[in-house]
């Protein structure tokens, strides 16, 4: 739920319909996973959105989307 003070022109709740895929790269016995969806693929040249995007661009939510997608991926595929 976006903070209404920072996102005055947006609704109190934003639903992002995302289908996240995982790509595995194995190198010298070490697996590295890259998560991809329409939000995570925004801003491909940076991990965090640039300053000043809060309240204006949903790309600002990319770090939060990554945390949720990462937790779900770990729980579903890497648990145990």
């Amino acid at each position: 739920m976006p903070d209404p003070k920072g996102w005055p022109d947006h609704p109190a709740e934003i639903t992002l319909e995302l289908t996240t895929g995982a790509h595995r790269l194995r190198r010298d016995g070490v697996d590295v996973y890259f998560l991809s969806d329409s939000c995570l693929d925004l801003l491909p040249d940076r991990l965090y959105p640039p300053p000043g995007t809060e309240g204006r661009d949903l790309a600002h939510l990319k770090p939060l989307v990554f945390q949720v997608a990462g937790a779900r991926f770990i729980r579903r595929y890497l648990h145990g």
Side-chain angles (χ1 to χ4, degrees), residues 13-48:
E13 287 188 22
I14 298 173
T15 300
L16 299 176
E17 297 290 332
L18 302 171
T19 300
T20 304
H23 307 277
R24 182 180 72 179
L25 172 68
R26 178 172 279 177
R27 175 85 182 204
D28 298 328
V30 176
D31 291 335
V32 178
Y33 293 91
F34 295 91
L35 301 180
S36 175
D37 63 34
S38 59
C39 185
L40 295 176
D41 296 344
L42 295 171
L43 311 170
D45 58 336
R46 56 187 313 141
L47 296 174
Y48 290 94

Side-chain angles (χ1 to χ4, degrees), residues 33 35 37 39-40 61-72:
Y33 293 91
L35 301 180
D37 63 34
C39 185
L40 295 176
L61 302 176
K62 181 178 178 176
L64 180 59
V65 170
F66 175 75
Q67 291 174 30
V68 171
R72 288 179 176 170

